[in-house]
Amino acid sequence: MNLHEYQAKKLFTRFAIPVPESLVASSPDEARAAAQTLGMPVLVKAQVHAGGRGRAGGVQRCESVAELETQASALLGSRLVTSQTPPAGLPVSQLLLEAPVVIARELYLALLVDREAECIAIMASAAGGMDIEAVAATQPEAVLVSRIEPAVGLRPWQCRQVGLFLGLTAQQQRAFEGLLSGLYQLLTSCDARLVEINPLVVTEDGELIALDAKLDLDDSALYRHLELAALHDPSQEDAREIAARAEGLSYISLDGDIGCMVNGAGLAMATMDLIALHGGAPANFLDVGGSATADRVARAFALVLSDDKVAAVLVNIFGGIVRCDLIAEGILAAVEEVGVEVPVVVRLEGTNAALGLERLAHSGLAIETAATLVDAANKVVAAAAGQGATIQHAGGEA
Ligand code: ADP
Ligand code: MG
């Protein structure tokens, strides 16, 4: 779960990580009142769960109250599109108003769970600011990765090593040790997967201040951080993913056009691989779980169909504990309830597979069945391509 910058910065102060003075506003009136407290000029920062705001007009410096009101009215209620948001952007409901800092240097600092190395890693670069991804891609030597030994935790020598790499002075080094320790405390005590400061700036006066804050919490550990779980902002997430979570389904929206409904994460991944191998692209990853019932299948199927970009659906169920005839009933129930306008290919294997396929065949619905996974992948890729061509053709004539 991601937090907004303003929420992360509030946590930063709890761990003695310096941030600029700031206030949150959810209306132009609140923004004006906040500016009275903070004084002018002021920075207006759109709160969305994505970076790249600076380049997209989501971070604006306002010299006057009139300018602030114009910017606040334009940003609040709009959808901000940045290089890191979905194409439709993310809704802006809050602004962070922040005192401007006079920047001498922009650094990058992050702590993250390095799953491959099974430890927490520090990432740091003297080339912080808005283009860190490009720096990492073109000049990997400009990014230091320093792994923290889990048995001993973060040690002072390691803080000095990172500080030296960042080119800090002896005095800044002392402040940096406190800041990095605070960040480490925050990551471990909040069960975060990532905490990132980009930029961490050195001010003209030589102070270190976190100007941006990104915090990604481990969903699996939220049950022991109810105070943090309450900061969840569903408006920043895919509506279907939220609905799926409420149903206990694992659903992740992807960029392709083939909806996949599968039971078991391993089978789901194999299915996506096969679709890709046959030239298609999955629109989602949907795992109805190992113990799928007809009812769950019906709800999952309806969820897949509700996605406009789905041009064809592949249902791939392995009946182990679950019986395939019940799965077929679930599919039929969902089709009856929500209707289906795209081709559906079904592959059932395992307990009562033949009975399940027979039910589908006799349903009178245009559901194509497949004997093997390869057959299913071929059929659904062809079906999606056919749909795409129809849509394109219709569009071309209009
Ligand atoms: P994003 O990463 O989404 O673009 P940031 O919070 O990093 O948003 O802001 C973008 C840039 O705006 C920063 O790299 C920094 O140069 C500038 N900036 C942000 N906050 C402040 C501030 N309080 N004072 C001065 N400059 C700021
Ligand atoms: Mg940033």
Side-chain angles (χ1 to χ4, degrees):
M1 183 184 102
N2 279 314
L3 294 190
H4 282 296
E5 175 193 7
Y6 79 90
Q7 297 166 329
K9 280 182 168 166
K10 218 182 233 173
L11 271 176
F12 276 17
T13 57
R14 227 189 271 172
F15 290 86
I17 300 161
V19 293
E21 199 188 345
S22 66
L23 286 167
V24 183
S26 6
S27 69
D29 280 349
E30 279 180 24
R32 196 182 325 109
Q36 262 166 10
T37 311
L38 294 171
M40 296 307 273
V42 76
L43 264 99
V44 179
K45 307 180 77 176
Q47 298 299 287
V48 289
H49 284 183
R53 297 166 301 164
R55 292 216 184 289
V59 177
Q60 303 276 355
R61 185 187 161 100
C62 299
E63 301 294 336
S64 67
V65 176
E67 200 182 334
L68 168 67
E69 279 178 353
T70 312
Q71 291 292 357
S73 309
L75 284 170
L76 284 167
S78 74
R79 292 185 78 89
L80 186 70
V81 181
T82 83
S83 55
Q84 296 179 18
T85 63
L90 290 171
V92 181
S93 313
Q94 286 119 354
L95 302 174
L96 185 66
L97 281 91
E98 198 162 78
V101 170
V102 185
I103 302 169
R105 298 179 62 208
E106 293 198 322
L107 314 172
Y108 175 90
L109 181 66
L111 281 179
L112 54 109
V113 177
D114 183 337
R115 292 161 73 125
E116 256 170 58
E118 298 180 6
C119 67
I120 292 163
I122 307 166
M123 283 181 77
S125 176
M130 298 201 262
D131 277 326
I132 190 68
E133 286 82 7
V135 172
T138 57
Q139 295 168 257
E141 70 284 356
V143 181
L144 173 77
V145 179
S146 176
R147 298 192 170 88
I148 298 172
E149 170 56 52
V152 295
L154 180 68
R155 311 306 298 173
W157 67 263
Q158 199 167 14
C159 297
R160 287 194 291 276
Q161 181 202 42
V162 180
L164 204 65
F165 181 82
L166 292 173
L168 301 180
T169 64
Q171 202 176 0
Q172 288 159 6
Q173 191 68 254
R174 269 190 292 278
F176 184 69
E177 257 185 64
L179 189 148
L180 189 51
S181 307
L183 213 56
Y184 181 65
Q185 289 291 325
L186 188 157
L187 182 100
T188 49
S189 65
C190 296
D191 287 313
R193 291 190 294 205
L194 166 81
V195 53
E196 184 189 75
I197 306 177
N198 186 31
L200 169 67
V201 300
V202 180
T203 66
E204 265 196 339
D205 305 331
E207 273 181 86
L208 290 171
I209 302 185
L211 279 206
D212 196 1
K214 178 172 177 180
L215 190 56
D216 181 12
L217 303 169
D218 185 344
D219 293 344
S220 309
L222 277 177
Y223 72 94
R224 47 186 200 186
H225 302 287
L226 298 181
E227 185 199 355
L228 296 175
L231 301 177
H232 181 223
D233 180 356
S235 79
Q236 301 292 310
E237 292 171 12
D238 185 286
R240 259 179 293 277
E241 285 180 18
I242 295 169
R245 205 175 307 144
E247 300 273 3
L249 304 164
S250 301
Y251 175 95
I252 293 164
S253 196
L254 301 169
D255 295 332
D257 60 358
I258 297 177
C260 312
M261 194 180 76
V262 187
N263 65 333
L267 190 58
M269 285 191 277
T271 306
M272 294 199 302
D273 280 351
L274 266 175
I275 289 173
L277 190 67
H278 289 84
N284 59 50
F285 168 103
L286 198 164
D287 170 13
V288 286
S291 56
T293 60
D295 189 38
R296 266 165 82 84
V297 165
R299 279 175 292 160
F301 197 62
L303 192 77
V304 174
L305 291 178
S306 71
D307 186 348
D308 285 343
K309 66 178 190 294
V310 167
V313 178
L314 172 57
V315 178
N316 184 20
I317 300 281
F318 178 77
I321 301 167
V322 55
R323 284 167 35 201
C324 290
D325 53 324
L326 289 184
I327 297 296
E329 269 173 32
I331 295 169
L332 295 175
V335 170
E336 231 163 74
E337 197 179 308
V338 296
V340 56
E341 282 160 17
V342 295
V344 177
V345 178
V346 179
R347 180 239 178 189
L348 296 175
E349 193 55 84
T351 313
N352 287 0
L355 191 58
L357 290 172
E358 200 181 297
R359 290 231 165 118
L360 293 176
H362 290 118
S363 66
L365 293 166
I367 292 176
E368 199 169 357
T369 56
T372 66
L373 198 39
V374 169
D375 183 31
N378 268 323
K379 281 179 174 162
V380 79
V381 170
Q387 283 290 108
T390 317
I391 292 164
Q392 260 174 23
H393 185 64
E397 288 200 336

